Amino acid sequence: MHELSLVRSLLAQVNRIRSDRAGLAVDGVHVEVGPLSGVEPELLVSAFEQLAGDFGMTGTQLVIDEVPLMANCPSCGTVTVEPVRIRCPICGDDGVTIVSGDEVRLQSVTIQCPEPEEQAL
Amino acid sequence: MTQQTIAVGRDVRAEARQRAAELRESFTRRGILAVNLLSSPGAGKTTLLQATARHWQGRRRMAVLVGDLATDRDAQRLAPLAPTVQLTTGGACHLELPLVERGLERLGELDCEFLFIENIGNLVCPASHDLAEHLRVIVLSTTEGDDKPGKYPKAFRTSQILVINKTDLLPHVPFSIDAAVADALLIQPQLRSVAVSAHRGDAIGDWCALLEQAHSELILNGHVCHSNR
Ligand SMILES: Nc1nc2c(ncn2[C@@H]2O[C@H](COP(=O)(O)OP(=O)(O)OP(=O)(O)O)[C@@H](O)[C@H]2O)c(=O)[nH]1
Ligand SMILES: [Mg+2]
Ligand SMILES: [Zn+2]
């Protein structure tokens, strides 16, 4: 179970984005998780619920998109591949490079920001 | 008050990966090949390292960082054979880079050609953490079943060498080396494999030759073929 340390790192990154924008509350955090990301979405959610409060994000919603494993085939371009059979489904080439689905990707953060004039005051 | 959605589009582990890449670069400059050993509990990582140290005795220099949940048992087995530092995770199921960095400080001046990092026995979590290794090695023992590669695709995809251990038990267990290797190759076609008995010492020379070859490549080209994506 390494989701806790991953979520701690995720929350720290979100906090940095919030303070860069002088943001207030964080409404939502959107991540993408693929078959080779090495994390369980359910465990990610429970780790998030457990730790969000420590980062001032009680009530922040974690949205997880489960995405397929995508690879680049030298002849066919971007293709979807099976995690247990990593090769191009069109031409069979196994010399493909994974382009997504092997990481936990922070896609976006939704925050409450003061209006520009409020900020000036 | 306005609501803003800020697009990020970055791997949460990008920063950790960058730090690992820098440490790897510093190993490369010092001519040290770093090897991260992954396996299920008890597949024989420590026994393999003991056999490796004995095989190289007086010819090649190695050092070991050995991860353990709580005890120093593996470190005690290795310390008589090579400079060894124990990394205690306090219950965590995998090693992370900061722990490796602290272990390196305790090892002191690194006078070696090979640095082994024995990870915690677990085929899931360690696969997601770059520990600055040049080579990731997965040890699969014949008592675990030859269908394991497909069940742990991330660990196999990100490894460069597969060591099948406990070949001395083949007469007693239903395990086909060919089937295990074939399954692993579906996930990582570049995977090199070697079948050994760490306990008896069978084919330890072949395993060491793979490592020596990787070390020569590192010295010659400044990198070892890395195929983890
Ligand atoms: N028969 C046989 N037993 C082996 C072999 N290699 C290791 N063992 C035995 O398997 C058990 C586990 O070996 P270890 O070397 O401790 O395995 P490990 O992967 O380091 O274990 P953890 O660090 O606890 O995950 C020990 O009892 C070893 O003696 C082998 O080649 N053949
Ligand atoms: Mg061990
Ligand atoms: Zn193709």
Side-chain angles (χ1 to χ4, degrees):
Chain A
M1 222 302 247
H2 61 141
E3 282 78 2
L4 280 173
S5 73
L6 184 87
V7 164
R8 213 170 272 129
S9 162
L10 169 70
L11 287 164
Q13 290 175 38
V14 171
N15 248 345
R16 229 174 297 145
I17 293 164
R18 156 161 72 178
S19 54
D20 285 352
R21 306 282 169 131
L24 302 170
V26 180
D27 292 335
V29 173
H30 178 192
V31 298
E32 270 184 13
V33 166
L36 287 194
S37 60
V39 301
E40 269 310 314
E42 271 174 45
L43 296 179
L44 211 56
V45 171
S46 66
F48 192 89
E49 283 168 358
Q50 193 179 327
L51 294 172
D54 299 350
F55 290 79
M57 285 183 233
T58 316
T60 299
Q61 206 198 349
L62 176 67
V63 179
I64 299 176
D65 262 352
E66 291 187 49
V67 298
L69 191 60
M70 307 290 286
N72 187 55
C73 168
S75 337
C76 312
T78 307
V79 291
T80 305
V81 295
E82 287 290 321
V84 295
R85 190 169 245 264
I86 302 181
R87 62 168 64 169
C88 175
I90 301 165
C91 70
D93 190 342
D94 61 17
V96 300
T97 310
I98 293 175
V99 293
S100 66
D102 65 342
E103 53 187 24
V104 178
R105 182 170 274 269
L106 172 58
Q107 284 298 55
S108 66
V109 179
T110 303
I111 51 178
Q112 295 285 340
C113 289
E115 302 287 351
E117 49 278 13
E118 276 180 60
Q119 225 166 352
L121 281 177
Chain B
M1 202 68 65
T2 55
Q3 195 186 50
Q4 275 187 23
T5 294
I6 296 136
V8 186
R10 186 178 58 223
D11 180 6
V12 176
R13 299 189 190 91
E15 219 169 274
R17 279 223 311 261
Q18 179 55 34
R19 277 187 29 226
E22 283 161 18
L23 181 57
R24 182 163 33 250
E25 190 49 43
S26 97
F27 289 144
T28 306
R29 280 195 302 273
R30 291 180 277 170
I32 299 168
L33 183 84
V35 182
N36 184 359
L37 287 173
L38 263 54
S39 83
S40 310
K45 299 177 294 299
T46 308
T47 311
L48 181 66
L49 290 178
Q50 289 174 294
T52 306
R54 288 197 193 99
H55 182 85
W56 276 341
Q57 194 108 65
R59 292 185 295 124
R60 296 282 188 156
R61 288 157 299 139
M62 60 181 264
V64 186
L65 296 176
V66 57
D68 209 306
L69 298 168
T71 76
D72 66 348
R73 291 179 186 177
D74 286 0
Q76 279 187 21
R77 286 163 60 190
L78 290 162
L81 299 165
T84 302
V85 161
Q86 157 88 26
L87 310 176
T88 309
T89 63
C93 51
H94 62 283
L95 294 177
E96 292 191 17
L97 195 63
L99 208 56
V100 168
E101 289 168 336
R102 284 204 292 280
L104 285 171
E105 278 167 25
R106 282 163 53 211
L107 262 183
E109 188 64 40
L110 264 184
D111 178 28
C112 65
E113 299 153 282
F114 297 89
L115 172 71
F116 292 97
I117 305 168
E118 177 180 334
N119 221 309
I120 306 296
N122 173 348
L123 282 179
V124 183
C125 310
S128 295
H129 295 271
D130 186 343
L131 300 182
E133 72 266 23
H134 296 99
L135 278 186
R136 186 172 285 191
V137 173
I138 191 156
V139 182
L140 177 68
S141 61
T142 57
T143 54
E144 294 167 64
D146 49 28
D147 63 341
K148 290 302 167 287
K151 296 182 71 174
Y152 302 99
K154 178 150 188 129
F156 282 85
R157 179 67 186 182
T158 56
S159 292
Q160 288 78 40
I161 298 178
L162 165 63
V163 176
I164 293 178
N165 187 31
K166 310 196 187 180
T167 52
D168 56 297
L169 298 180
L170 280 172
H172 312 287
V173 290
F175 184 97
S176 153
I177 293 179
D178 289 347
V181 169
D183 199 31
L185 288 175
L186 292 178
I187 296 161
Q188 181 46 273
Q190 317 254 23
L191 197 66
R192 311 279 302 268
S193 57
V194 58
V196 308
S197 166
H199 173 64
R200 267 202 328 222
D202 301 355
I204 293 301
D206 297 342
W207 148 249
C208 289
L210 280 180
L211 294 173
E212 289 165 21
Q213 189 194 330
H215 186 264
S216 307
E217 270 173 42
L218 183 72
I219 300 298
L220 208 65
N221 309 328
H223 61 88
V224 183
C225 122
H226 214 67
S227 51
N228 63 4
R229 261 207 125 185

